[in-house]
Amino acid sequence: MRAVIQDRYGSADVVEVGDLPDPVPADDEVLVRVRAVSLNGSDRENLVGRPAYARVGGLRRPRNPVPGSDVAGTVVAVGRSVTAFAPGEDVFGELAGYRGGLAEYVATSPGLLARKPAALSFADAATIPQAGCIALRATRGLHKGDRLLVNGAGGAGGAFVIGLAKHLGARVTAVDRGERPATCSGSAPTTPSRTSAATGPTSATGTTAWWT
């Protein structure tokens, strides 16, 4: 199979596209044909090997040479003891060790996967596992009429927080750098106000807040 291969820690220059043997699922695993992968902060950490915990999967080099953790795809085979999924089902999930996704196929535990709703594209489904779960935890206990400040709202988790909070009826103030208005304001009509950490709402640079 074709895969992105990382044989050491470093910059983006250490990765290349190459060939690896097709994975064979164990009795308790499923084999997924990968259709989409999303990249997160954990992928950047696993690339450079920093902070130190990013090297849990290999002190000097990654034990699994394929990066990428959040995937969506189609089950093509299942191990003998797997009953949760069957070949042909579309799934999405987060891979163990945050690695293995940037390849044509990956073998993984069925417990790390969920069925993909038919109305959800593979690309959209692949964005959910890390960022979506972080946002879900962050918005637990939020109620209609509550006010919520989302700092760093232009990131993947922030975008999900905005959507979930608006769905729950909260009033959201989204804050991020000024070049990120699309993800901050895409969930509802907004009024932007540029601010500077030093001078308040007078600078054309710095952070921008959106009230939704």
Side-chain angles (χ1 to χ4, degrees):
M1 67 176 182
R2 300 292 281 172
V4 174
I5 301 172
Q6 175 194 354
D7 62 2
R8 61 192 185 278
Y9 298 110
S11 68
D13 294 334
V14 306
V15 299
E16 61 182 8
V17 177
D19 293 306
L20 291 174
D22 288 357
V24 177
D27 288 348
D28 59 350
E29 291 183 325
V30 299
L31 182 65
V32 177
R33 180 193 174 200
V34 178
R35 302 289 298 275
V37 184
S38 70
L39 298 180
N40 300 274
S42 60
D43 298 294
R44 182 182 63 252
E45 293 171 352
N46 285 342
L47 174 66
V48 300
R50 296 190 305 270
Y53 62 71
R55 298 189 182 227
V56 169
L59 183 60
R60 296 186 176 181
R61 63 180 60 86
R63 284 192 291 271
N64 183 343
V66 180
S69 65
D70 287 19
V71 302
T74 303
V75 176
V76 294
V78 300
R80 290 185 300 176
S81 62
V82 174
T83 59
F85 297 103
E89 290 189 290
D90 295 331
V91 296
F92 67 104
E94 181 181 74
L95 302 177
Y98 304 110
R99 302 191 71 87
L102 287 170
E104 291 184 281
Y105 297 94
V106 65
T108 187
S109 167
L112 299 176
L113 302 173
R115 286 179 177 82
K116 183 185 76 65
L120 197 63
S121 71
F122 287 104
D124 287 344
T127 68
I128 294 174
Q130 282 192 56
C133 288
I134 290 171
L136 184 62
R137 290 193 295 268
T139 54
R140 282 177 179 165
L142 201 61
H143 299 94
K144 184 176 181 179
D146 287 347
R147 292 180 177 271
L148 180 68
L149 171 65
V150 184
N151 190 16
F160 276 112
V161 168
I162 292 173
L164 288 171
K166 295 296 292 182
H167 175 73
L168 294 169
R171 185 165 179 80
V172 180
T173 299
V175 179
D176 211 314
R177 296 192 301 273
E179 66 269 23
R180 287 182 164 183
T183 51
C184 290
S185 61
S187 60
T190 61
T191 303
S193 173
R194 292 193 180 276
T195 66
S196 165
T199 62
T202 59
S203 173
T205 60
T207 61
T208 301
W210 292 261
W211 286 266
T212 66

